[in-house]
């Protein structure tokens, strides 16, 4: 190596080596393809800038630098070095960059002591023989790595380059606009994901396809996870922990690899002190009893503290059962409270003995533990309180003034996937980004800014939800300021190619709206163990729902020809499979129901519906086979399983659908017409004027938006004309939780001046809660009888947590259905 590179090596630099990469279209325009005055040339004339680091810098900096070099090659197709250079370094770890800062060539004052922040700036003549360098400076090791990956994003490399097969868009030349760009610190300090319920996707895929020579998931798989996290500006991982997986720390190479990548390791609420109990506790489950076996449990925890004390870790405190179950031993909440306080003291003593008493610590009041906390549990003030949703996207608790004042701060554990009661959802990812925005925004506004973790199942197919959650965590104000359709459209355009964003956003808008009414995994209206019964939708109502899915599929079909051939795999993974599979699942379920309902009254139509159900079932099989065997050359074999995948955990999963056998079907016959479902009067959120304190929440609910308020708010009013008949009003709310952490939502509705105050109990785990989370709605009938004519409706909110989906008007003598 000669010339400028030799001088830099003498100054303490090392050139980064090659790495894999792929790309998507460029981002916000500070990297472009035609030169302008003052630009820095990343690539031109068949050459690319050299990526340079210092040997004193962190491992993750070298990893990110290697990835950037590979990304530049993936976009341009060339490797030959130009005379320009990209310097990547951490303050205090890169002598050449430190000299630039000391000389005042770059203003790094705001970087010193900042958390995960970075600056990108072009510097002329930074060293002898170097005409110009693009300098990426990080405040700490992850800040520097994020800077390198930010440049990768800007040249068009998607964070999903590997996990969703998003390919690069080729460009011969790349230029960085003049100026200094500053990023960070992030809105939330610790941001990450929890790989969970991995038995039916990640583990069989890793074992059978990606890494068959190592117990799954192992270092080869986790290296890909760590790459994704860094590219998404995340920093924390709770690893896979089901019995199907090998415990993360059972292989010391996993923890060492996480440290190299700068990823902070933690564990879920069920795995205190970095211990995967399912895989590592070798005694009987009943022996995990702190009242009778305290010494053995302490030794078990202490071993992990000793082995992992040198790594950057967030230590989960507390105690539950072996898996996701209640504490063994104590019988009352008072006994559980006393036991937990002793556990806190013992666990913190272990950390102190290991010399890491200042390491981050977190306690999660999850499920039954929240009741213990509210009964007076004393949690040390420097421990982060990790609040949770109800497993279905609705946060149960928001930090009050005292909790916000605690030194340990507050965080959120949020579900984008869940295995548990009343019914699981671990197949398709249908939580609307708008719900994530509203609930996580409420949490952030109430001081939950220390740590955010999302349960993401197998990662696939939750790509969009993961990206949006982590984008909020990195920059909540910038992200939530964008309408959902805008953000989704930009995300899709980067993944699928120019000119696809608006249409893809429309398809995904339909997808989230339709599946919000009922997730594909929840297509039964009875709970496990109950006597089966049909859905409350009549055939005409079900047909109206299916018409919505058909329209969505037509939008998808119109988009498909616009997808470049090299993005066909990404399109299938990110859009085609989830959209098509959710539509097929609904056709299969409702056509099979109609077949049963019409068997006696209209046999020919019954069998026509049976064929629709059978065809939909076959389509689901074909779609999933294609995902597992054909996409990306078979790369994802074993990753996708239609729910229910098997007979495990039957108490938490829907009953396998019964599809009429094709061999039993008689030859066709004329279809019998089914009367269309009547269109009932309704006031949607858009019909209410925006009185002071009221706003439309875009991208949420069955009508594409819900009505929200900020207390105190003036009443908002609308009028409706009802046809002849006797009517009653039904107010539909989202099943949110009260802002004051109480157990009652409150609102007042006036119709023609007569007020009715609605007090809505919110008790997690009861039957009303189960119905509400499966419907994503609480339906509240009003008592007043209404006749034909014009009526004036006024709404007053008693709690800003209330979000109104619609006010429907139904015949007074008819039951309320969830349509």
């Amino acid at each position: 190596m000669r010339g400028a590179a030799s001088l830099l090596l003498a100054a303490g630099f090392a050139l980064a080596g090659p790495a894999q990469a792929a790309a998507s279209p460029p981002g916000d325009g500070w990297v472009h393809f035609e030169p302008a005055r003052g630009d820095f040339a990343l690539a031109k004339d068949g050459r690319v800038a050299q990526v340079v680091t210092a040997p004193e810098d962190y491992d993750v900096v070298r990893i990110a630098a290697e990835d950037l070099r590979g990304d530049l090659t993936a976009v341009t197709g060339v490797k030959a070095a130009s005379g320009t250079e990209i310097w990547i370094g951490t303050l205090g770890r890169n002598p050449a960059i430190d000299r630039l800062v000391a000389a005042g060539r770059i203003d790094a004052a705001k970087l010193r002591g900042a958390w995960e922040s970075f600056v990108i700036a072009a510097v002329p003549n930074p060293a002898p023989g170097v005409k110009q360098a693009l300098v990426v400076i990080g405040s700490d090791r992850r800040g520097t790595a994020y800077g390198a990956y930010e440049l990768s994003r800007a040249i068009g490399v998607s964070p999903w380059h590997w996990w969703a097969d998003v390919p690069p868009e080729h460009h011969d030349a790349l230029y960085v606009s003049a100026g200094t760009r500053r990023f960070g610190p992030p809105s939330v300090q610790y941001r990450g994901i929890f790989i969970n319920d991995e038995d039916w996707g990640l583990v069989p895929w890793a074992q059978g396809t990606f890494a068959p020579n190592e117990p799954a998931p192992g270092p080869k798989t986790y290296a890909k996870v760590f790459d994704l996290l860094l590219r998404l500006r995340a920093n924390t991982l709770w690893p896979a922990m089901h019995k199907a997986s090998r415990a993360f720390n059972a292989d010391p190479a996993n923890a060492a690899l996480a440290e190299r990548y700068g990823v902070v390791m933690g564990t879920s609420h069920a795995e205190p002190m970095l211990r995967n109990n399912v895989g590592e506790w070798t005694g009987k489950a009943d022996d995990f009893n702190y009242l009778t076996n305290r010494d053995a449990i302490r030794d078990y925890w202490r071993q992990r503290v000793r082995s992992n004390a040198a790594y950057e870790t967030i230590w989960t405190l507390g105690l539950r059962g072996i898996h996701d179950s209640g504490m063994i031993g104590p019988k009352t909440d008072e006994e559980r409270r006393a036991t937990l306080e002793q556990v806190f003291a013992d666990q913190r003593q272990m950390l102190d003995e290991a010399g890491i008493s200042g390491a981050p610590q977190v306690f999660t009041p999850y499920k039954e533990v929240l009741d213990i906390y509210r009964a007076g549990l004393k949690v040390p003030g420097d421990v982060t309180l990790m609040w949770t949703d109800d497993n279905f996207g609705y946060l149960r608790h928001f930090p009050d003034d005292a909790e916000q004042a605690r030194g340990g701060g507050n965080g959120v554990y949020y579900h984008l996937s869940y295995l548990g009661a009343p019914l699981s959802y671990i197949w398709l990812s249908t939580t609307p980004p708008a719900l994530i925005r509203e609930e996580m925004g409420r949490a952030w506004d109430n001081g939950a800014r220390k740590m955010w973790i999302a349960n993401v199942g197998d990662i696939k197919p939750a790509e969009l939800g993961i990206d949006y959650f982590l984008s909020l965590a990195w920059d909540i104000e910038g992200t939530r300021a964008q309408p959902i359709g805008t953000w989704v459209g930009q995300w899709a355009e980067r993944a699928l190619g120019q000119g696809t964003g608006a249409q893809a956003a429309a398809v995904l808008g339909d997808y989230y709206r339709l599946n919000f009414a009922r997730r594909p995994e929840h297509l039964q209206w009875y709970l496990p163990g109950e006597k089966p019964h049909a859905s409350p939708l009549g055939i005409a109502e079900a047909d109206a729902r299916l018409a919505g899915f058909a329209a969505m599929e037509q939008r998808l079909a119109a988009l498909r020809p616009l997808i470049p051939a090299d993005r066909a795999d990404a399109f299938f993974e990110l859009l085609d499979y989830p959209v098509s599979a959710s539509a097929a699942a609904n056709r299969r379920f409702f056509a099979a129901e109609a077949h049963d309902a019409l068997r006696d009254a209209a046999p020919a139509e019954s069998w026509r519906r049976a064929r629709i159900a059978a065809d939909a079932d076959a389509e689901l099989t074909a779609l999933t086979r294609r995902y597992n065997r054909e996409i990306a050359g078979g790369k994802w074999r074993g990753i996708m399983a239609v729910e229910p995948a098997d007979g495990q955990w039957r108490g938490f999963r829907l009953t396998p659908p019964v599809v009429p056998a094709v061999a039993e079907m008689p030859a066709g016959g004329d279809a019998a017409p089914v009367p269309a479902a009547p269109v009932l009067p309704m006031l949607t959120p858009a019909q209410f004027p925006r009185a002071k304190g009221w706003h439309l929440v875009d991208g949420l609910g069955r009508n594409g938006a819900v009505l929200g308020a900020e207390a105190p708010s003036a009443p908002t009013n609308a009028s409706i004309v009802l046809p002849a008949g006797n009517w009653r009003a039904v107010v539909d709310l989202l099943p949110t939780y009260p802002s004051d952490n109480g157990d009652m939502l409150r609102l007042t509705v006036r119709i023609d001046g007569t007020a009715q105050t609605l007090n809505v109990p919110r008790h997690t785990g009861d039957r009303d809660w189960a119905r509400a989370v499966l419907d994503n709605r609480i339906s509240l009938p009003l008592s007043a009888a209404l006749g034909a004519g014009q009526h004036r409706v006024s709404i007053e909110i008693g709690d800003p947590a209330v979000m109104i989906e619609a006010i429907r008007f139904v015949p007074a003598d008819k039951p309320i259905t969830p349509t």
Side-chain angles (χ1 to χ4, degrees):
M1 196 172 297
R2 300 178 180 177
S6 300
L7 291 170
L8 289 170
L9 286 168
F13 280 86
L15 288 174
Q20 59 174 23
S24 64
D28 63 6
W30 58 275
V31 171
H32 48 97
F33 314 123
E34 297 294 335
R37 185 182 180 89
D39 281 355
F40 175 87
L42 288 172
K44 69 175 184 178
D45 301 330
R47 296 179 178 273
V48 295
Q50 297 181 80
V51 180
V52 183
T53 63
E56 300 95 324
D57 221 325
Y58 299 97
D59 286 344
V60 68
V61 173
R62 287 189 286 276
I63 290 169
E66 291 170 0
D67 285 345
L68 176 59
R69 181 166 181 160
D71 293 346
L72 285 164
T73 297
V75 172
T76 63
V78 298
K79 295 182 178 179
S82 69
T84 58
E85 295 174 348
I86 304 168
W87 293 9
I88 301 175
T90 310
L91 277 180
R93 287 274 184 156
N94 188 305
I97 287 178
D98 289 343
R99 285 194 289 272
L100 287 179
V101 172
R105 303 290 304 279
I106 297 178
D107 180 6
K110 292 183 179 180
L111 282 183
R112 297 190 186 281
W115 180 264
E116 296 179 348
S117 302
F118 57 94
V119 168
I120 300 176
V123 178
N125 303 310
V130 181
K131 184 177 180 181
Q132 193 176 32
L134 186 69
V135 183
V136 180
I137 312 175
S139 62
D140 51 30
R141 62 175 178 165
R142 282 187 294 274
T144 308
Y146 294 153
Y149 290 120
E150 193 69 32
L151 187 54
S152 285
R153 280 186 183 231
I155 67 174
V157 177
S158 169
W160 299 98
H161 71 106
W162 193 87
W163 280 95
D165 301 299
V166 178
E169 181 177 292
H170 177 82
H171 295 284
D172 291 327
L174 298 168
Y175 300 92
V176 176
S177 298
T180 298
R181 290 165 183 84
R182 302 180 184 275
F183 302 81
S187 298
V188 178
Q189 185 173 4
Y190 294 104
R191 313 163 305 282
I193 64 173
F194 176 24
I195 297 172
N196 196 213
D197 308 320
E198 65 277 7
D199 312 45
W200 304 277
L202 191 76
V203 166
W205 163 77
Q207 283 180 335
T209 304
F210 180 63
N213 296 322
E214 64 183 26
K220 185 178 179 182
T221 301
Y222 279 118
K224 295 300 184 185
V225 175
F226 297 152
D227 174 87
L228 175 65
L229 291 176
L230 292 176
R231 290 177 183 271
L232 291 173
R233 309 186 197 96
N235 59 14
T236 305
L237 177 68
W238 291 358
M241 50 77 75
H242 266 218
K243 196 170 185 177
S245 299
R246 188 184 190 191
F248 181 85
N249 287 292
D251 183 351
N254 286 329
L257 185 69
E259 184 65 20
R260 284 194 64 230
Y261 273 86
V263 172
V264 186
M265 294 305 302
T267 46
S268 72
H269 54 87
E271 306 167 89
M273 303 307 286
L274 226 62
R275 275 293 196 178
N276 179 332
N277 297 325
V278 173
E280 296 186 299
W281 178 257
T282 57
K284 298 178 181 178
D286 289 345
D287 290 339
F288 203 66
N289 183 331
Y290 212 68
L291 298 183
T292 60
N293 205 19
R294 178 184 174 194
D295 288 345
I297 295 173
R298 287 196 302 177
D299 288 344
Y300 170 69
W301 288 338
R302 190 175 285 112
Q303 290 170 16
R304 182 52 38 78
V305 173
R306 290 170 178 165
S307 67
N308 289 53
Y311 299 141
E312 191 174 4
T313 299
I314 299 172
W315 296 91
T316 293
L317 304 187
L319 178 67
R320 296 187 73 218
I322 287 293
H323 193 54
D324 186 0
S325 57
M327 187 189 307
I328 298 169
K331 303 300 182 185
T332 67
D333 277 355
E334 179 56 31
E335 290 176 348
R336 296 182 187 101
R337 182 194 61 75
T339 301
L340 273 175
E341 289 176 2
Q342 182 63 60
V343 165
F344 292 154
D346 292 348
Q347 291 170 334
R348 286 162 64 82
Q349 182 181 358
M350 295 172 199
L351 299 178
D352 186 54
E353 291 168 352
I356 54 171
S357 59
Q361 300 157 43
V362 63
F363 171 67
T364 305
Y366 182 62
K367 290 186 175 177
E368 80 286 345
V369 184
L370 181 57
D371 294 331
I372 303 171
Y373 174 82
R374 288 176 172 172
L377 178 68
K378 293 181 174 60
V379 183
D382 59 346
V383 173
T384 300
L385 292 174
M386 196 78 163
W387 306 109
T388 72
D389 66 336
D390 64 352
N391 303 316
F392 290 83
Y394 300 97
L395 292 180
R396 295 182 62 190
H397 185 100
F398 298 90
D400 60 25
D401 291 344
E403 289 157 349
Q404 291 183 41
R406 299 173 70 261
N410 296 269
V412 176
Y413 167 43
Y414 193 79
H415 287 78
L416 299 178
S417 174
Y418 178 63
L419 175 66
L423 283 171
S424 306
Y425 57 103
I426 57 174
W427 171 32
L428 302 179
S429 183
T430 54
T431 300
L435 182 62
I436 303 171
R437 176 192 62 195
E438 293 306 302
E439 292 298 277
M440 298 308 299
R442 289 175 68 198
W444 195 85
D445 291 339
N446 283 278
R449 305 179 180 186
K450 186 74 172 182
M451 183 176 177
W452 286 9
I453 301 291
N455 184 323
V456 302
D458 298 301
I459 297 177
K460 301 180 73 64
E463 294 94 341
L464 190 152
I466 293 169
D467 207 328
Y468 190 72
F469 178 90
L470 292 173
S471 294
L472 284 169
W474 174 259
D475 176 15
I476 190 165
E477 297 296 3
T479 303
R480 68 177 173 178
Q482 298 182 68
I484 291 296
T486 300
W487 191 95
V488 170
Q490 292 173 351
W491 183 88
E493 182 126 343
R494 288 192 294 269
L496 304 179
Q498 295 182 19
T500 63
Q503 287 179 255
V507 172
L508 287 166
D510 288 344
Y511 172 77
Y512 289 115
R513 177 177 55 80
L514 290 166
N515 288 299
F516 187 72
R518 198 78 177 187
R519 296 181 191 265
E521 301 92 335
H522 298 164
L523 288 174
Q524 68 181 45
W525 272 258
Y526 57 91
L527 300 182
E530 294 182 347
K531 182 178 179 180
H533 61 79
S535 76
L537 278 68
I539 294 175
E541 293 167 317
D543 284 351
R545 175 170 171 79
L546 293 178
F549 279 98
M552 174 181 70
E553 290 183 288
Q554 289 175 355
R555 287 182 188 259
L556 182 72
L559 173 61
R560 193 175 284 112
L562 303 182
I563 304 300
D566 64 349
R567 297 188 183 228
D569 288 341
F571 174 72
F572 183 83
E573 295 169 46
L574 298 175
L575 210 67
D576 199 346
Y577 181 83
V579 167
S580 299
S582 68
N586 276 267
R587 279 199 305 278
R588 179 179 66 179
F589 176 82
F590 288 110
E593 265 204 348
H595 164 68
D596 288 340
L598 296 170
R599 189 188 297 265
D600 294 329
E605 177 65 9
S606 171
W607 284 112
R608 189 183 76 84
R609 300 283 182 145
R611 290 189 190 90
I612 293 173
D615 289 346
D617 189 61
E619 181 182 354
L620 272 175
T621 299
L623 284 166
T624 306
R625 182 187 297 115
R626 182 182 174 197
Y627 206 132
N628 285 327
R629 298 185 182 182
E630 300 174 20
I631 290 300
K635 171 181 173 179
W636 298 111
R637 180 181 291 267
I639 196 70
M640 193 58 59
V642 177
E643 183 66 8
D646 54 30
Q648 299 183 61
W649 304 82
R650 290 184 180 179
F652 302 143
R653 301 166 86 170
L654 83 168
T655 303
V658 177
V659 179
V662 175
E664 299 175 1
M665 298 182 188
D670 295 334
V674 175
V679 178
L680 298 177
M682 177 188 301
L683 286 173
T684 64
Q687 292 172 266
F688 285 88
R690 301 293 85 75
K692 181 180 179 182
W694 292 85
H695 61 278
L696 275 181
V697 180
D698 64 298
L700 194 53
R702 288 159 175 79
N703 303 302
V706 298
L707 189 63
E710 302 164 3
S713 59
T716 184
N717 306 283
S719 295
I720 189 167
V721 177
L722 298 179
N726 295 315
W727 303 89
R728 60 175 170 170
V730 178
V731 181
D732 291 328
L733 310 179
L734 299 197
T736 54
Y737 284 80
S739 300
D740 62 2
N741 299 323
D743 58 5
M744 199 78 69
L745 287 173
R746 294 179 176 85
L747 73 157
T748 298
V749 180
R750 297 177 185 272
I751 298 183
D752 301 330
T754 300
Q756 182 174 344
T757 297
L758 300 173
N759 295 309
V760 188
R762 299 294 289 121
H763 300 300
T764 306
D766 67 14
R767 187 166 184 78
D768 287 341
W769 166 82
R771 178 177 177 179
V773 295
L774 296 179
D775 288 344
N776 272 311
R777 184 163 73 181
I778 300 171
S779 294
L780 305 168
L782 301 185
S783 58
L786 305 172
Q790 181 166 304
H791 299 275
R792 183 172 177 81
V793 180
S794 174
I795 306 173
E796 301 170 22
I797 293 297
D799 187 327
V802 171
M803 288 192 280
I804 300 171
E805 187 178 62
I807 298 180
R808 292 180 289 145
F809 297 85
V810 301
D813 59 344
K814 298 291 185 182
I816 301 170
T817 64
T819 54

